[in-house]
Amino acid sequence: MKKLIVGLAGNPNVGKTSVFNQLTGMHQHVGNWPGKTVEKAEGHFTHGEYEYDLVDLPGNYALSAHTMEEIVSRDFIVDDDSDVIINVVDAANLDRNLYLTVQMMELGANLILAVNMNDFALKKGHVINMDLMSELLGFPVIEINAKTKEGFEELLCTVEKVAANPKDSSEKLSYSNDIKGHLFEIQDFIEQDEGLLNVPSIWTAIKLLEKDTIVIDKVQHAPNGSRIMVEADKVSKHLYDVYNDGPEEVIASARYAFIDGLVAEAVAKPEVEIETLSDRIDKVVTNRILAPFIFVLVMFIMFQVTFVVGAPFQTVIEEAFSALSSWLAAQLGPGVISSIICDGIIGGVGGVLTFTPIIFLMFLFLSFLEDCGYLARAAFTLDKLMHKIVGLHGKAFIPMILGFGCGVPAIMATRTMENEGDRMLAMMLVPFMSCTARLPIYAIFVAAFFPENGGLVLLSIYLLGIVVALVVAAILKRTMFKGLSTPFVMELPTYKVPSVKGTLLHAWDKTKGFLKKAGTIILTFAILLWLLENIYPFGGTDPQMSILGMIGTAIAPIFAPLGFGTWQAAVAILSGLAAKEVVVSTFGTLAGMSADDHTGITHLIQTSFTPLSGFSFMAFTLLYTPCVAVIGAIKSETNGYKWALTMCAITVTTAYIVSFLIYNIGLLLGFG
Ligand code: GDP
Ligand code: MG
């Protein structure tokens, strides 16, 4: 077997991960969302006599060192010894896609162009002459369909051919004579430098002109580094004199000129652009006035359907656990073992597991909205609405919307942001977006107090999270993170009908994460809580005299001004730091899930809260410190505890203030 290392590179959302999954049989997440893959994924498969090592690179538009994804991709192409790079491009947006292609040509990568989504291009009336393209570029151009695997066989055969005869793809790259001449001057010096034998010379020359810090650093450490730098500075100044523009801009327009020529030759386009269905839908969905209403409506429908469809399933699971609990209690007889299993484990873990149908439905909805392309529009809507008022960078809305699912991937998604300040600000805001783990908390309060208006109450909670995030952003932007955000054009992916299998898999994948949590963190805490609830250091049987009761009683006064100064609520909030679902399992353990009373949690909630203090509690759990996994994610993304702790401080303070306002204004208005 011969080994082949092959990279998949390309703009975001062109189908790289789809190709990767088709070939490796893996299930990396495919999303209709620019910036989905942030880390490179690796997979293996065999074809003929070759053993492939396939790497799915994060999508990017450029190979500068502005964002983490760009660095990951560029390191792979420059430093790792890959055999072939498959550049996947979206046929419907060929011009824009080729900008990255040109940069990979500058690197001299051993390239193949895989033209995907030609169906969309044809709908727009664009006809690409693949053979002519290949001739003009100097490397193979293959039409593929990542969904149907059309063209895959040809693609792999070509990979093998190209791997056997590596070629420098920069050969046919041509810039206008003036620029070319100057690049050659710098290139000459680079090629003669012993310390720079292994770097692509034209690329290095261009990067020097673009003032790329990583490349400059490398060159400066080479034996003749200072001479090369002098030469590069000279050329820079010259270009500035001639074009009255920075070298970066001059090079960018040279690249576009090359692409324009290429496309004019090889792509036939209609005289007038054809308006696609996607364009027409967007006229309504991203309409400045309608968009916010559509967004709220979509969310409302999501919550309403989730609850209405999920409820009967939830009841079935609840009754099953309740039956199991009473059966076990009868078998085991009264005693410690029976109590720990029935009250502790089934009450705690079972109490959380009953929410599996609701969580699955919620993820199903989110996956569908994400895969069809709507979530990108939602981010776009929020951006349009808020950029000017709050000063938040448009890219921050993508992680924030992802935060509706889970905070951990949302924090990782901030990697697409170039500016450190903007990125930190986004991380501070993600926790305010209500993640799916908080859903069970709202669900038990809705069941106890607002059974008629579940969807509406949930909508208000989610909107509260968004509004609070924006207010906090506005405050932080004027204090901690001063300075203007860079403008940003958000790219909207074409609407697609997501595959049923893909959406189900995606939702199931996330639900599995929830089940895993139930079996680990939540189980551990259920047992721990049961222990603390059943140890009475000073004797007695009053639950308040248990260790748990005493801890709760000690901190409860802190929450009294918010309306829920009971020891049970205090304990639930404290345990929610581990995972938000534990709040529910705490109530479950406290209530016990005995046979004759499977509405134990509801009863406990109704007796220790009022509707108003219940809502205040929901708001507090929405806004206070996220679970340890998110804190850990921020810590590892920022290499230290500083921002993680800052986030904790911001969230707890905000939660306290908001809940205080809700409860006290509610009292004044007579909702007590
Ligand atoms: P990546 O960001 O480059 O990894 O792109 P993905 O593989 O995540 O795909 C982005 C979107 O394009 C997903 O919604 C895919 O289902 C869709 N997609 C991928 N390939 C094709 C194709 O050949 N035709 C069509 N119509 N859609 C595709
Ligand atoms: Mg991807």
Side-chain angles (χ1 to χ4, degrees):
M1 282 277 183
K2 290 178 221 164
K3 277 202 171 266
L4 280 183
I5 304 177
V6 178
L8 284 167
N11 285 13
N13 219 31
V14 296
K16 296 179 298 297
T17 304
S18 304
V19 174
F20 179 85
N21 287 349
Q22 291 275 21
L23 286 173
T24 60
M26 286 168 77
H27 297 293
Q28 286 291 327
H29 180 209
V30 172
N32 200 2
W33 188 275
K36 192 71 228 179
T37 316
V38 275
E39 261 167 294
K40 55 180 186 185
E42 222 176 314
H44 304 270
F45 67 96
T46 52
H47 176 259
E49 51 181 322
Y50 291 92
E51 209 179 310
Y52 278 76
D53 187 350
L54 190 65
V55 181
D56 185 16
L57 295 167
N60 31 235
Y61 299 103
L63 288 177
S64 38
H66 292 314
T67 65
M68 305 263 283
E69 297 115 304
E70 289 176 358
I71 296 175
V72 171
S73 295
R74 163 172 140 170
D75 282 352
F76 179 81
I77 299 168
V78 184
D79 300 335
D80 297 7
D81 14 51
S82 54
D83 294 296
V84 179
I85 302 288
I86 301 177
N87 177 198
V88 183
V89 291
D90 170 1
N93 293 298
L94 200 59
D95 319 41
R96 195 182 51 215
N97 278 239
L98 285 173
Y99 192 69
L100 180 70
T101 310
V102 166
Q103 293 178 66
M104 289 195 285
M105 290 168 78
E106 288 164 0
L107 276 171
N110 199 16
L111 278 178
I112 295 179
L113 198 72
V115 181
N116 192 25
M117 306 207 205
N118 211 8
D119 40 343
F120 288 117
L122 290 172
K123 271 190 201 135
K124 280 173 130 180
H126 297 183
V127 182
I128 304 169
N129 182 339
M130 306 283 167
D131 294 333
L132 187 54
M133 276 276 280
S134 167
E135 205 174 300
L136 294 171
L137 285 169
F139 49 84
V141 175
I142 313 252
E143 181 184 345
I144 60 162
N145 184 325
K147 279 200 164 157
T148 60
K149 292 179 92 163
E150 254 165 279
F152 274 40
E153 186 56 34
E154 191 189 351
L155 180 67
L156 293 182
C157 292
T158 314
V159 167
E160 286 145 24
K161 243 183 267 162
V162 169
N165 294 301
K167 218 166 143 191
D168 182 351
S169 58
S170 66
E171 268 169 23
K172 294 233 171 175
L173 189 64
S174 64
Y175 297 138
S176 69
N177 281 334
D178 189 32
I179 297 173
K180 206 184 202 166
H182 291 301
L183 285 176
F184 275 145
E185 286 166 25
I186 309 176
Q187 243 179 302
D188 258 356
F189 281 104
I190 295 171
E191 277 165 15
Q192 283 162 20
D193 195 314
E194 279 170 29
L196 298 170
L197 289 179
N198 58 351
V199 298
S201 58
I202 180 168
W203 181 76
T204 309
I206 289 174
K207 288 293 141 189
L208 288 180
L209 293 181
E210 289 181 338
K211 307 234 166 7
D212 183 297
T213 44
I214 297 178
V215 173
I216 290 180
D217 189 60
K218 182 156 189 167
V219 169
Q220 276 172 340
H221 284 90
N224 290 321
S226 41
R227 285 237 19 219
I228 301 175
M229 291 309 298
V230 170
E231 188 63 27
D233 279 343
K234 217 170 77 191
V235 172
S236 261
K237 278 205 191 72
H238 173 76
L239 288 179
Y240 205 88
D241 289 342
V242 176
Y243 293 92
N244 213 357
D245 220 346
E248 274 190 60
E249 285 76 20
V250 173
I251 289 168
S253 25
R255 286 178 184 142
Y256 280 119
F258 174 75
I259 294 170
D260 285 346
L262 197 71
V263 171
E265 289 272 325
V267 185
K269 290 183 182 178
E271 296 272 319
V272 220
E273 285 285 326
I274 299 173
E275 193 178 59
T276 60
L277 182 63
S278 212
D279 296 335
R280 266 175 277 159
I281 297 176
D282 269 344
K283 279 209 173 132
V284 180
V285 173
T286 60
N287 175 289
R288 206 190 310 193
I289 296 160
L290 290 178
F293 294 102
I294 294 177
F295 174 62
V296 171
L297 186 70
V298 168
M299 293 226 304
F300 176 68
I301 294 173
M302 171 162 85
F303 299 131
Q304 198 64 30
V305 172
T306 303
F307 268 80
V308 171
V309 178
F313 293 98
Q314 191 182 0
T315 314
V316 170
I317 300 183
E318 227 165 58
E319 278 164 4
F321 274 119
S322 163
L324 176 70
S325 174
S326 40
W327 181 79
L328 275 174
Q331 299 297 310
L332 296 167
V336 175
I337 300 288
S338 160
S339 171
I340 198 170
I341 292 179
C342 297
D343 298 337
I345 298 178
I346 299 183
V349 180
V352 171
L353 281 180
T354 56
F355 295 100
T356 315
I358 291 190
I359 295 220
F360 177 74
L361 280 168
M362 182 85 170
F363 276 134
L364 200 62
F365 243 101
L366 282 174
S367 303
F368 174 80
L369 290 179
E370 182 177 342
D371 294 350
C372 78
Y374 180 73
L375 279 195
R377 266 85 186 173
F380 179 75
T381 303
L382 287 174
D383 176 36
K384 261 190 155 174
L385 210 61
M386 289 302 158
H387 190 112
K388 285 203 193 77
I389 310 171
V390 182
L392 195 58
H393 191 277
K395 274 193 183 174
F397 291 107
I398 294 174
M400 282 169 70
I401 296 258
L402 286 182
F404 284 148
C406 171
V408 176
I411 294 289
M412 282 166 65
T414 60
R415 288 183 192 175
T416 52
M417 306 179 68
E418 292 102 36
N419 180 308
E420 271 306 288
D422 285 336
R423 183 166 180 232
M424 294 309 138
L425 178 57
M427 283 195 204
M428 300 300 109
L429 302 179
V430 162
F432 291 129
M433 308 312 281
S434 190
C435 72
T436 335
R438 289 159 173 144
L439 205 53
I441 308 178
Y442 311 143
I444 57 172
F445 280 88
V446 164
F449 294 122
F450 318 100
E452 306 293 310
N453 303 315
L456 223 51
V457 170
L458 269 193
L459 182 66
S460 69
I461 281 285
Y462 276 67
L463 289 180
L464 178 71
I466 298 179
V467 171
V468 167
L470 294 176
V471 172
V472 171
I475 296 172
L476 291 181
K477 196 72 201 175
R478 280 161 186 76
T479 50
M480 246 165 125
F481 299 99
K482 277 191 193 147
L484 279 177
S485 319
T486 38
F488 142 81
V489 187
M490 176 129 164
E491 185 196 347
L492 295 180
T494 4
Y495 285 103
K496 301 199 175 82
V497 181
S499 74
V500 177
K501 191 180 152 206
T503 310
L504 282 173
L505 258 172
H506 184 176
W508 171 239
D509 228 38
K510 299 204 162 152
T511 310
K512 263 196 322 211
F514 165 73
L515 293 177
K516 213 170 119 192
K517 255 200 276 180
T520 51
I521 291 195
I522 300 174
L523 177 66
T524 314
F525 266 77
I527 295 174
L528 184 72
L529 286 167
W530 181 88
L531 282 175
L532 295 177
E533 192 196 1
N534 283 281
I535 299 175
Y536 295 85
F538 305 110
T541 51
D542 181 4
Q544 212 174 340
M545 293 304 290
S546 64
I547 297 187
L548 194 65
M550 289 192 298
I551 296 175
T553 310
I555 54 174
I558 303 175
F559 301 110
L562 314 184
F564 43 87
T566 63
W567 68 269
Q568 291 97 332
V571 170
I573 285 175
L574 204 60
S575 56
L577 290 176
K580 287 289 168 285
E581 297 93 333
V582 179
V583 172
V584 169
S585 70
T586 306
F587 284 129
T589 314
L590 290 175
M593 274 206 139
S594 57
D596 41 317
D597 183 21
H598 67 82
T599 49
I601 295 187
T602 309
H603 183 73
L604 175 72
I605 300 290
Q606 280 167 340
T607 47
S608 40
F609 291 88
T610 64
L612 178 61
S613 70
F615 193 80
S616 166
F617 184 84
M618 287 203 276
F620 191 85
T621 48
L622 159 73
L623 302 172
Y624 86 123
T625 315
C627 65
V628 282
V630 172
I631 301 176
I634 296 186
K635 189 212 140 219
S636 67
E637 289 294 313
T638 58
N639 291 321
Y641 281 103
K642 180 182 156 206
W643 289 108
L645 293 176
T646 310
M647 182 276 296
C648 292
I650 292 173
T651 46
V652 170
T653 315
T654 312
Y656 200 88
I657 294 173
V658 173
S659 291
F660 181 84
L661 290 177
I662 290 178
Y663 183 64
N664 288 286
I665 293 175
L667 280 184
L668 287 179
L669 295 177
F671 288 117

